[in-house]
Amino acid sequence: MKLAIAGLILACAASASAQKYTVKIVDRQEHDSNYNYSVPGYSSSNTNANANCNGDGSSVNCNGTSTTNTFSTPAHHGSFSVRGATYSLLLPDGRIAVVNCDIKFAEHFAGAAGNHRNCRQPLVDNVDADFHGDKAKLEWVVSLDGKKKQSETYKVLGILDPPKSDTK
């Protein structure tokens, strides 16, 4: 009984430390050989607009408002030495997670050249990312009905802080 309770506590603690987010892939690169990955700058704008028009048979009166919010991240100084697929993921709080998936070993009895597979890579920009320690499991929809998903586990290389605001 004590062993079962201890196992339950460990399982709850392990799941509590995981964090799941919907993230946007803002940059992606993939190479079979070693390369240096530099995190690029990123900018995004969102505009909300409202328009109201009133009129009678002979005249129309219209007025409107709009608001634009822009988010920008400068390029990161330095680079990561990697191989395989590397992504910059925009987290909801503005941080950038840099993740990499190296070529996976897969025994095919085909010699050294045939005993690997490339990592599964999403073709979409918005994915779910389940962070647990230094791993991030990326999951994305691959069917029209949204029921079939594909996933791959990537190693977290770093979490970059969001840009500092100049407003005081």
Side-chain angles (χ1 to χ4, degrees):
M1 180 69 172
K2 289 181 184 179
L3 186 58
I5 292 173
L8 182 60
I9 291 171
L10 285 174
C12 290
S15 65
S17 67
Q19 296 175 328
K20 191 166 189 173
Y21 302 108
T22 297
V23 300
K24 180 177 180 107
I25 298 173
V26 295
D27 188 59
R28 60 180 84 214
Q29 289 187 32
E30 192 272 328
H31 300 284
D32 289 340
S33 59
N34 291 341
Y35 64 98
N36 287 327
Y37 179 79
S38 296
V39 179
Y42 174 73
S43 182
S44 176
S45 292
N46 183 31
T47 301
N48 294 319
N50 294 314
N52 295 314
C53 292
N54 298 311
D56 55 26
S58 61
S59 67
V60 176
N61 183 18
C62 294
N63 62 35
T65 62
S66 70
T67 304
T68 300
N69 296 314
T70 301
F71 171 82
S72 295
T73 293
H76 180 69
H77 298 291
S79 63
F80 299 94
S81 180
V82 293
R83 179 176 72 167
T86 307
Y87 296 130
S88 289
L89 307 174
L90 178 62
L91 302 176
D93 63 3
R95 294 180 296 167
I96 299 283
V98 181
V99 299
N100 173 263
C101 183
D102 200 349
I103 296 167
K104 307 277 187 175
F105 178 80
E107 183 63 57
H108 295 294
F109 302 107
N115 285 335
H116 73 277
R117 72 164 178 85
N118 289 340
C119 299
R120 287 181 290 275
Q121 301 173 45
L123 297 176
V124 297
D125 289 333
N126 296 307
V127 299
D128 290 328
D130 191 2
F131 292 91
H132 193 278
D134 69 343
K135 303 288 185 217
K137 181 179 179 183
L138 304 185
E139 188 175 63
W140 57 97
V141 174
V142 294
S143 66
L144 289 176
D145 63 6
K147 293 181 181 178
K148 180 150 176 63
K149 295 186 177 190
Q150 186 92 120
S151 67
E152 184 71 76
T153 300
Y154 285 69
K155 180 173 178 45
V156 177
L157 301 178
I159 306 292
L160 308 178
D161 289 332
K164 294 181 180 171
S165 173
D166 290 336
T167 59
K168 295 181 182 182

